[in-house]
Amino acid sequence: LIKENFPGCMLDYLAMAPCDQIVSHDPNINQVLKFSKSSGWNGVVQWLDLMKRIRKTRYHMVIDMHGGPRSAMIALMSGAKYKVGLARSRRARFYNVRVDPIFNHSVLAVEFQSKMLELLGLQIRSQSPKIHLLEKELQDIREKMRLVGINPEEPFAVIHPGVESVHNQWQPEKFAEVADVMQSKFKIQALFDFAPSEAPQVRQVLELMKTPARAIQTTLREFAAMTKQAEFLLTHNSGP
């Protein structure tokens, strides 16, 4: 959206690893800056190095789309002429340009952030996010699927039952029931996706199933390449 409105601008994107994978290979982004959650001395060194790089670039504008403590502090210390953030944030004082997206109903994050840009004067033509995948990535995930017993040439659906907080978790038996019906009645292969920490949750669902299913551990870009080719994705509200 920014490059559509300002084609000649330099646009960098800051993300916490591994989320930086999602915006890699995006032709609209000049440079992806990433940082990781680190504690102790390593965290301090990483933070100082990041801020040094940001201040050295001398950005004209920094837009904080999240309003969290870390991103707000980065905006404040960036050295940018314009520091954009949420007017209703507890850290609103960190910004010198404040926007206030207001909705009378719940909206997706992409809608909320698009509204932020619209309030800055940008013309919003589309709110559909796009992940730029390479053809090799699409081919590689098909091969990885074959290795776990899924035929990518036949209909399949991706199921992601993993979640960090049990308070947001749909019951494992419900995932199992849907996957069984999907395979037995509709002949759609069920492929469970998980991050390393979510393996026990996937194992629990598989043990409850009446039909055999397959599971695969992926990176974020592999997950994107896989879901692009799937019939649909079943996951939690606000899931991947």
Side-chain angles (χ1 to χ4, degrees):
L1 297 178
I2 295 176
K3 274 292 179 75
E4 286 180 1
N5 284 265
F6 303 101
C9 76
M10 183 187 79
L11 178 62
D12 291 350
Y13 192 94
L14 174 63
M16 182 177 292
C19 296
D20 60 291
Q21 297 176 27
I22 296 299
V23 293
S24 63
H25 302 297
D26 190 324
N28 297 303
I29 296 176
N30 295 86
Q31 181 181 200
V32 178
L33 305 176
K34 70 175 181 177
F35 65 98
S36 304
K37 286 184 178 179
S38 301
S39 58
W41 179 246
N42 287 337
V44 173
V45 172
Q46 180 184 221
W47 172 264
L48 293 175
D49 180 63
L50 174 65
M51 294 312 305
K52 181 180 178 180
R53 292 177 62 189
I54 291 175
R55 293 185 64 85
K56 185 177 180 180
T57 304
R58 297 182 181 277
Y59 291 105
H60 184 70
M61 177 181 290
V62 168
I63 305 175
D64 179 6
M65 292 286 196
H66 303 284
R70 194 191 309 263
S71 59
M73 185 60 68
I74 290 173
L76 177 66
M77 299 175 61
S78 65
K81 181 177 181 179
Y82 299 107
K83 307 171 186 67
V84 182
L86 297 171
R88 299 193 185 193
S89 168
R90 287 182 293 179
R91 288 160 285 276
R93 64 186 183 278
F94 289 12
Y95 316 113
N96 57 16
V97 178
R98 304 175 185 91
V99 293
D100 190 14
I102 298 177
F103 295 88
N104 57 11
H105 59 280
S106 297
V107 297
L108 297 173
V110 66
E111 296 177 78
F112 186 86
Q113 293 169 356
S114 294
K115 187 65 175 180
M116 288 184 66
L117 297 178
E118 185 179 356
L119 291 172
L120 289 174
L122 278 68
Q123 294 183 357
I124 309 300
R125 298 183 179 87
S126 172
Q127 293 182 342
S128 300
K130 182 177 181 180
I131 299 174
H132 296 265
L133 296 166
L134 305 178
E135 182 59 35
K136 184 178 185 303
E137 292 177 307
L138 298 173
Q139 294 174 356
D140 287 349
I141 195 60
R142 285 196 287 267
E143 183 58 33
K144 190 170 182 177
M145 289 166 57
R146 290 189 182 95
L147 292 176
V148 299
I150 292 291
N151 182 359
E153 309 305 325
E154 297 293 332
F156 72 93
V158 177
I159 302 176
H160 190 99
V163 65
E164 288 187 4
S165 172
V166 294
H167 300 293
N168 298 325
Q169 185 178 23
W170 202 38
Q171 294 89 335
E173 58 270 21
K174 293 183 178 179
F175 275 112
E177 182 179 357
V178 172
D180 279 331
V181 172
M182 191 173 71
Q183 294 197 123
S184 60
K185 184 176 181 179
F186 297 100
K187 309 304 178 185
I188 298 177
Q189 304 169 93
L191 177 56
F192 287 86
D193 169 83
F194 64 95
S197 62
E198 299 167 338
Q201 297 175 54
V202 170
R203 193 178 305 115
Q204 184 180 11
V205 176
L206 293 176
E207 291 173 352
L208 293 169
M209 289 184 62
K210 299 176 182 178
T211 59
R214 302 290 184 268
I216 187 171
Q217 179 180 323
T218 62
T219 64
L220 284 178
R221 290 195 67 80
E222 287 176 331
F223 175 78
M226 186 169 60
T227 54
K228 179 179 176 65
Q229 303 173 77
E231 298 294 313
F232 60 86
L233 166 67
L234 173 63
T235 186
H236 297 279
N237 181 34
S238 297

